[in-house]
Amino acid sequence: VVQMPIASEKAGVGFCLNPVSGDRDVVVIESSWGQGDEVVAGRVTPDMFILEKKSGRLLEKKLADKKLMKILSPDSGGLEELDVPMKLRKKSSLEDGELKQLWSFARRLEDHYAFPQDFEWAIEDGNVFMIQTRAVTVLGGMTTQSKGMPKPELRGLPASPGMAAGPVKLATSVAALQRVKKGDVLVTGMTTPDFVPAMMKKAAIIT
């Protein structure tokens, strides 16, 4: 089968539930500019939208500073990495109508497979394409903050939800990984294959 590649202007992933809290009454959409490769690989922090599953009402929106994107090169036919133009970096990557279409697709996918789905999507010339879908494999547990607990210093989007504690080690380069010991919490800008040895020792990773 030979398929034409999608020259998407925006792309991302979606969940038929909240993968962090396990809440099945919402749909979560993550998006960024260009191809979805940067979002799936975790090289860019995407915009995040949480919608009520029953009505499609927008419950929460977090716009990220989207610095990188990949586009389909007209010369080579492959992917070309570019800096996102400044005027688009903090602008919402999805319009209301596109968000509604993705919410509708999420509901249809869950109804068809009779289980919450984790799916990838792309938008080209206003057309929404489903790239692939699979059953959600990681379900977060519903958690509440106990009385007397301090408020968190930072909030973010977890790639692998969990809890951990340990000394914090900041690594701004591969050379700095030598300071990371077993049980440390590794803080860095972005991970690469060179980080794998340190990952085996860490208690958690924050990027």
Side-chain angles (χ1 to χ4, degrees):
V1 177
V2 178
Q3 295 178 304
M4 181 179 294
I6 299 172
S8 59
E9 296 98 22
K10 53 191 74 174
V13 297
F15 304 91
C16 299
L17 49 62
N18 189 317
V20 178
S21 68
D23 184 359
R24 295 195 178 204
D25 293 327
V26 299
V27 168
V28 177
I29 303 295
E30 297 180 355
S31 67
S32 190
W33 302 110
Q35 299 285 323
D37 182 63
E38 301 289 66
V39 176
V40 175
R43 287 189 291 268
V44 65
T45 300
D47 294 336
M48 183 182 71
F49 307 85
I50 300 179
L51 302 97
E52 186 178 54
K53 184 179 292 184
K54 184 177 180 179
S55 67
R57 180 170 60 93
L58 182 62
L59 301 176
E60 185 177 348
K61 175 171 69 174
K62 292 182 179 179
L63 301 183
D65 186 359
K66 303 168 288 294
K67 299 178 181 179
L68 297 173
M69 66 178 181
K70 283 187 177 179
I71 63 170
L72 193 63
S73 172
D75 298 324
S76 67
L79 294 181
E80 179 182 359
E81 187 172 86
L82 302 173
D83 292 332
V84 174
M86 288 299 298
K87 65 180 182 179
L88 296 178
R89 281 178 48 165
K90 296 183 179 180
K91 180 181 178 180
S92 176
S93 52
L94 284 176
E95 298 177 3
D96 292 344
E98 296 167 335
L99 199 54
K100 285 290 186 181
Q101 289 187 69
L102 291 167
W103 162 77
S104 179
F105 269 118
R107 290 197 53 172
R108 290 161 59 187
L109 287 171
E110 183 171 358
D111 288 344
H112 179 77
Y113 291 102
F115 196 83
Q117 297 292 298
D118 166 359
F119 58 94
E120 297 179 27
W121 57 269
I123 295 178
E124 179 185 12
D125 293 331
N127 298 308
V128 179
F129 296 91
M130 287 293 110
I131 307 302
Q132 66 175 7
T133 187
R134 63 176 183 174
V136 172
T137 55
V138 177
L139 296 176
M142 299 295 289
T143 60
T144 57
Q145 185 170 325
S146 302
K147 291 183 178 180
M149 290 288 289
K151 292 183 179 181
E153 295 289 340
L154 297 171
R155 293 182 180 273
L157 304 176
S160 180
M163 297 179 65
V168 175
K169 295 292 177 64
L170 176 63
T172 57
S173 65
V174 175
L177 293 175
Q178 297 177 2
R179 299 188 294 106
V180 178
K181 299 179 181 179
K182 186 175 182 180
D184 287 348
V185 175
L186 173 61
V187 179
T188 186
M190 182 183 300
T191 58
T192 68
D194 294 326
F195 281 68
V196 172
M199 291 178 182
M200 304 301 291
K201 298 185 289 183
K202 54 71 185 170
I205 300 176
I206 300 174
T207 58

